[in-house]
Structures are given as C-alpha cells and as structure tokens.
Amino acid sequence: MGHGGGGAMSAELVENVFAPAFGGRTLATLGDSAVVELGGARLAFSTDSFVVRPLFFPGGSIGDLAVNGTVNDLAMSGARAAYLSCGFILEEGVEMAVVDRVARALGAAARRAGVEVATGDTKVVEAGHGDGVYLNTAGIGLVPAGVDIRPQRAVPGDVVIVSGAIGLHGVAIMSVREGLEFGVEIESDCAALGGLVDAMLAVTPDLHVLRDPTRGGLAAALNEIAAGAGVGVVLSERAVPVPPQVANACAVLGLDPMYVANEGKLVAFVPRREADAVLAAMRSHPLGTEAAVIGECVADHPGMVVARTAFGGTRVVDLPMGEQLPRIC
Amino acid sequence: MGHGGGGAMSAELVENVFAPAFGGRTLATLGDSAVVELGGARLAFSTDSFVVRPLFFPGGSIGDLAVNGTVNDLAMSGARAAYLSCGFILEEGVEMAVVDRVARALGAAARRAGVEVATGDTKVVEAGHGDGVYLNTAGIGLVPAGVDIRPQRAVPGDVVIVSGAIGLHGVAIMSVREGLEFGVEIESDCAALGGLVDAMLAVTPDLHVLRDPTRGGLAAALNEIAAGAGVGVVLSERAVPVPPQVANACAVLGLDPMYVANEGKLVAFVPRREADAVLAAMRSHPLGTEAAVIGECVADHPGMVVARTAFGGTRVVDLPMGEQLPRIC
C-alpha cells in the first residue's frame, strides 16, 4: 500500500520503475502537472486516479475529488483548467443509483470549477476485482504568459504561505471509515483552487512555487519542494493552522497533522517583497480566509524541512515513508 | 458487464447517466475523442481505461493497449498524439516485476508511436479490490488545419474502407484466456494508427469519418456512424477481410467476427472521388497492406447497417446488445 501513499515509497517507484521506462523528461513531472507546448500554446496537463473509500463522505465524494484533484494539479502550474477527461472503472453489481450519484457530483463539481467534461470512457470489471467505482480524470488548461511556477523555483528568502487549516480531508475520511466520533463532524476541505490562484496571480505573475498538499500532507509537499529546488525550509510549528478537531482526532489516532491529506489547500513560495500583498489577496478569497505565513525558504540544510517547535526547539520534518491513511483519494 | 462492452448497454449508460450529469456537449463526444479549442489551437483530447485480462497476450500487453488505444482515438479525429498522461491502479501484492514489465511495454509503445508520456499518477488498492494492474491514459494532439473528421460527416455516396483483417485482437485475448488452441497462435493486431492516418491525410484533408472498431467490433463502429450521421450503410459481406484463423475460432466460440474487437484497424468513410487514391495510400503503409473497400454509405434505411451476404441475400447488422468478450481492453 505504501507505494501509492505519496511518500518515500511512491518517489522510489517513480524513480526506479516509471522514469526509466518512460524516458527522461517524465522524471521531473510525474505525479505533478506537466507544462507542455502544443500548437503555440503553453498547456498544463495532469492526471489522477481516485480510489477513495467510502465513495461519499462529509464534505464531498469521489466525484468532487476527481474534479478538484485534477483542477488543483493544473492550478499549481498557474493554469485555469479548461477541459477534463473522465474514466470510470465500475465493479460488476454496483448499483446504478450509486453510479448516477457519483456522476452527478462530478458534473456539479465541474460546473462549480468552470471546467468542461469533454470526453470519457467506462469499463466494467467482475465483482471482486474493483470497489464500486474507481475514477480517473485528466485535465488541460492554459498557462498564462509570464507565469512559471514549479518546485525548482524556490529560492532562499521566499516566504512560505499555506492557504488555510490543514488535515481536514484525511481526518474526515478516517473518521467515517473507522466509525470514529469526535464530538463534531469533521468535513473534508475538498475544493477547486483555480479561483484562489487567479486572485494570487492578479497580485503578481511571479509566484515561485504552488503545491496542493494532498497525499503525504504538508510534510510531503514541503520535502518535495526542498529536494526539487535544493533549498532548506524552516517552519514555525505554531504558525501552521491546525484546527482543534484535527489536533484532537490526530491525537486519538496517533497521526501527525503535518502528514494528513488536504484536498482544498495550497502551499505557496512567494518572493518576500510580494508576500504581504499575496497574503492579503488570499485572505480576501473565500478559500483563503485563514491563509497564514508558516515559514521561509533558507540556504541552510538544502533538501531538508525543519520545524521550530512551540517550546523553542527544532525537529526535522521528514518525507513520510509509506502510507498513513490508505485510499484517502 | 454489458455496460462496459461498447454496445447498446454502454450507449444507454452514456445517454441516461453521464450526459445529463455532465452537460450537453459531452453527449456527442463521450466514448470518443473530443475536439476542443485552447489558446488558439484546435486539440483532440481523449481518455481510455484498460482492464484487459491477461496483462500480457500474443502480440501485446496492457501497456501497448494503453498507448495505442488513446493514440488511435486521437488519430480518429485526424490528430497526431503529442502527449499522454498515465494513471496506474495497482492491486496490493502485485509483483514489482510485473509493474516494471508493464511500464517498459508502455514506454516502448509510446516511443514507437512518437508520443511523450508527460505526466502520471499511481494509486494502490487492497488485495481483492483490483486485478494486478489497471491503467488509464489520456492524450492530447493537434488537429491539422482544414481537417474535420467526425461521425456526423458521413454522407450517401461515401466509400467505406477498412484498413485490414478484422477480429484478431478479440480472438487473441479469448484464446489465451480460455486456453483454447486453434493450431496457429493468433496475435493481437494492437498498433498505433497515427502514421497510417497521416498517409491518408496526405492524399486529402477531406476524410469524412474515421473510427477504430474496438469494443463491439466493426458492427458497433458502423452502427454508431450510421446513427450519428442519419445515413444507411451497405456492406458487401464477402469483401470484409476475415482471416481464416479468426473465422475458425469464431465458429468454435459461437462469435460473429463483425462484433469482435480490433486494436490496430480503422474504418474510413471517404468521398467517392478520393477513394482510389486513399486506398492506394493505405496499401502503401505497413499497417494498411490489406486495406479493402467493404461497402458504401446510402440514403436508404438511415441509422441501419445492412450486409449483402455471399449468397445474394441481405441481413441487418445490429448494434451488439451487451458484452461478447468482457475485459478485452
């Protein structure tokens, strides 16, 4: 299961199996959106499969995830998603009412995100070879002129901003799946971030890095950026917005909120001179009201993420090894 | 299973579930490649999931299918595939050697087809919720200026050409899966058709319809075109190239070769004045040496495909209802 968890085992699979098989350029882009040239246009292109269990959960469904996940991957290149493809893998015997409900959720999420489902495919596998519904989406969108957002562009001095509270998606899934009750129902943060990114780009096209901290959480996202750019990251642990219900649930489950998946948040590396204006723009957007500066990019300890704890110490925030929460998306 | 078979039950799913959920424009394009505008470029965009069993078969593998299936969907709009996305859904416990072999086959097929795997994703599901490896690919490619190839453009008088022998993919899969022996090993025709379509377009950009007769075979492809354009199709049954080993295997299995899947063939509707030149160009291409005129498009019996039998009679070639051979691709 760890190979699909977005951590060190996933990275190993990409490096040792997929990159040699597919060729050089893929290495840099696999697991992320690629920016490609076609017909004179600069396009972002990305794909994700969705195997979340259960199919419906507080705050969303596999249909919402399938739209927002791919829309967000494109947004992390600065692109507004224009068209989605959608592949269904149905398990024989799944109720048509369930397929219908998933399709409607997907359609509604696409309309909210302003993206068109342009093409699709359906396959059916025998009972016992699937799990109701698996989905894949791929998406394409235009990258605006002058925008060049990628992990390699992080430089010492960049301010690290997160768009809001972390850990909600993972804890929401976990709580329904395991039948846990934490007093209040915890809803997934599942949302499409294209509008928030547009608001940030309106301040400056020179955002350096954007990343949606999904599988592996904020810790995996920051480690990948630190490794990709050869920079260090220093976080102020106290500044990371962890809602009390997430902190409580993680304490019960033995999880670290830094490693729990989000589906409607982004982390941004922004040039210091633009940071205040970008933060203000984020806070003015409905999906960024709780945006916060959580740290900075440094020249020290390249490839490593370090957190200053509330007690004045420091700890290394590693790339997660395997899978904390399987089938979260 | 029939809902994934590419026949009448699949069409019903698209019409009753996906089209209302996703919106109007999708209805015309779902299950096919869509032609969309982005950044001033006209792009073909398509997706397919692959759940074939077994993963490796005579003449190919799920990796070859995943590349060629999507490359061919784009080629059926006249587009040369430029970039592919690739999503793996792995079943927990699948041997890494198998994943590696699939990835290498996929990479090699992409290089042969001249398409770049630009982006990807991997998910892992628990044992008993998958079947080793499922794949999804999506692809994008440029549609050349002046090219407008789609089912609705079929008109009475068009000549119907098939690029070669039918039924090989379905019979190859069936024979290895069921452990059947037909004296000679039957190999899948799995191949990328971009080069063949380029050769046809070099004769004239005014090809009316192209279709790769995959699930549901030649019968499903022709019925969809007849229904989409509101025209009739008359076939000369004798002219349809059915190799003896396919005819023999189908006789044993109780199948009609017209309904068996192909993965390296196309059917073309070509204006009569261009038909000889297009046929000659096809026969000069390695993937079209056995190309043959198999019928014509007529104004009679709109939406219906009729075959003139070898004995001088006629029979209606219906859209297949459900699934002749499940998990063929």
Side-chain angles (χ1 to χ4, degrees):
Chain A
M1 298 297 299
H3 286 108
M9 288 175 72
S10 291
E12 201 183 280
L13 187 66
V14 171
E15 202 169 314
N16 298 336
V17 177
F18 296 138
F22 299 161
R25 248 183 63 170
T26 313
L27 180 60
T29 57
L30 230 136
D32 227 298
S33 88
V35 176
V36 299
E37 289 271 340
L38 198 53
R42 209 155 57 107
L43 305 179
F45 182 32
S46 186
T47 191
D48 262 320
S49 300
F50 298 88
V51 299
V52 66
R53 191 167 50 88
L55 297 175
F56 305 93
F57 48 81
S61 71
I62 191 172
D64 298 280
L65 281 178
V67 170
N68 296 338
T70 292
V71 164
N72 292 351
D73 279 350
L74 300 178
M76 298 308 111
S77 297
R80 193 67 184 254
Y83 300 100
L84 288 186
S85 68
C86 177
F88 279 74
I89 298 180
L90 306 178
E91 185 187 15
E92 189 188 15
V94 64
E95 283 180 48
M96 213 38 74
V98 171
V99 178
D100 190 58
R101 195 173 156 208
V102 168
R104 282 176 199 279
L106 196 153
R111 281 185 290 276
R112 279 196 301 275
V115 62
E116 184 180 341
V117 181
T119 184
D121 173 62
T122 307
K123 292 292 188 308
V124 182
V125 295
E126 297 91 345
H129 289 293
D131 200 1
V133 179
Y134 295 149
L135 286 181
N136 175 282
T137 52
I140 50 177
L142 268 185
V143 180
V147 169
D148 178 23
I149 302 173
R150 52 195 162 85
Q152 294 78 10
R153 287 199 67 217
V155 289
D158 281 355
V159 172
V160 180
I161 303 174
V162 69
S163 65
I166 65 164
L168 289 161
H169 178 71
V171 166
I173 295 289
M174 196 63 166
S175 61
V176 288
R177 197 149 76 200
E178 309 301 335
L180 301 174
E181 299 276 350
F182 301 105
V184 285
E185 183 173 82
I186 298 169
E187 288 207 348
S188 168
D189 59 341
C190 187
L193 296 169
L196 177 62
V197 171
D198 283 355
M200 297 166 71
L201 286 172
V203 175
T204 171
D206 192 31
L207 305 174
H208 287 171
V209 187
L210 294 175
R211 192 96 182 181
D212 55 335
T214 55
R215 285 182 290 175
L218 195 56
L222 292 173
N223 270 281
E224 283 161 19
I225 296 165
V231 297
V233 174
V234 177
L235 295 181
S236 165
E237 200 164 58
R238 212 174 346 195
V240 177
V242 180
Q245 68 272 36
V246 169
N248 291 344
C250 283
V252 169
L253 296 165
L255 301 174
D256 181 337
M258 293 286 288
Y259 294 90
V260 176
N262 312 275
E263 292 291 342
K265 295 300 179 316
L266 63 82
V267 59
F269 283 55
V270 180
R272 186 165 298 275
R273 68 184 175 284
E274 311 280 9
D276 287 344
V278 169
L279 185 67
M282 292 173 76
R283 287 187 172 157
S284 302
H285 189 279
L287 294 176
T289 53
E290 297 178 86
V293 171
I294 58 169
E296 60 177 339
C297 187
V298 298
D300 292 342
H301 52 78
M304 192 180 287
V305 180
V306 168
R308 293 212 179 90
T309 68
F311 309 106
T314 61
R315 63 166 179 130
V316 174
V317 179
D318 270 334
L319 193 61
M321 188 60 209
E323 181 72 289
Q324 269 202 334
L325 306 172
R327 297 186 53 187
I328 208 80
C329 62
Chain B
M1 299 296 296
H3 285 108
M9 287 173 73
S10 290
E12 201 182 278
L13 187 67
V14 170
E15 202 170 313
N16 297 337
V17 177
F18 296 138
F22 300 161
R25 246 184 66 172
T26 312
L27 180 60
T29 57
L30 231 134
D32 228 299
S33 88
V35 176
V36 299
E37 290 270 339
L38 198 52
R42 209 155 55 106
L43 305 179
F45 183 32
S46 185
T47 192
D48 262 319
S49 300
F50 298 88
V51 300
V52 67
R53 190 168 49 88
L55 297 175
F56 305 94
F57 46 81
S61 72
I62 191 172
D64 298 280
L65 281 179
V67 170
N68 297 337
T70 292
V71 164
N72 292 352
D73 279 349
L74 299 178
M76 298 308 109
S77 296
R80 192 66 183 252
Y83 300 101
L84 288 185
S85 68
C86 178
F88 279 73
I89 298 180
L90 304 179
E91 185 186 13
E92 190 187 16
V94 64
E95 285 181 46
M96 214 35 76
V98 170
V99 178
D100 190 59
R101 197 174 155 209
V102 168
R104 281 175 200 281
L106 195 153
R111 281 186 290 277
R112 278 196 301 275
V115 62
E116 184 180 340
V117 181
T119 184
D121 173 62
T122 307
K123 293 292 190 308
V124 181
V125 295
E126 298 91 345
H129 288 294
D131 200 1
V133 179
Y134 295 149
L135 286 181
N136 175 284
T137 51
I140 49 176
L142 268 185
V143 180
V147 169
D148 178 24
I149 302 173
R150 52 196 163 85
Q152 294 78 9
R153 288 199 67 217
V155 290
D158 281 356
V159 172
V160 180
I161 303 175
V162 70
S163 65
I166 66 163
L168 289 162
H169 178 71
V171 166
I173 294 289
M174 197 62 167
S175 59
V176 290
R177 197 151 76 199
E178 308 301 334
L180 301 176
E181 301 277 350
F182 300 106
V184 286
E185 185 174 82
I186 298 169
E187 288 206 347
S188 168
D189 59 341
C190 186
L193 296 170
L196 177 62
V197 171
D198 284 354
M200 296 166 72
L201 286 172
V203 174
T204 173
D206 191 33
L207 305 174
H208 287 173
V209 187
L210 294 175
R211 191 94 183 186
D212 56 335
T214 56
R215 285 181 289 176
L218 195 57
L222 292 173
N223 270 281
E224 283 160 19
I225 296 165
V231 297
V233 174
V234 176
L235 296 181
S236 165
E237 200 164 59
R238 211 172 351 193
V240 177
V242 180
Q245 69 270 36
V246 169
N248 290 344
C250 284
V252 170
L253 296 165
L255 301 174
D256 182 336
M258 293 286 290
Y259 293 90
V260 176
N262 312 274
E263 291 291 343
K265 295 301 178 318
L266 62 82
V267 60
F269 282 54
V270 180
R272 186 166 297 275
R273 67 184 174 283
E274 311 280 7
D276 288 344
V278 169
L279 185 67
M282 293 174 76
R283 287 187 172 158
S284 302
H285 189 278
L287 294 175
T289 54
E290 298 178 86
V293 172
I294 58 169
E296 60 177 339
C297 187
V298 298
D300 293 343
H301 51 79
M304 191 180 288
V305 180
V306 168
R308 293 211 178 91
T309 67
F311 310 106
T314 60
R315 63 167 179 129
V316 173
V317 180
D318 268 335
L319 192 63
M321 189 58 209
E323 180 74 289
Q324 267 203 335
L325 305 171
R327 295 184 57 187
I328 208 79
C329 61

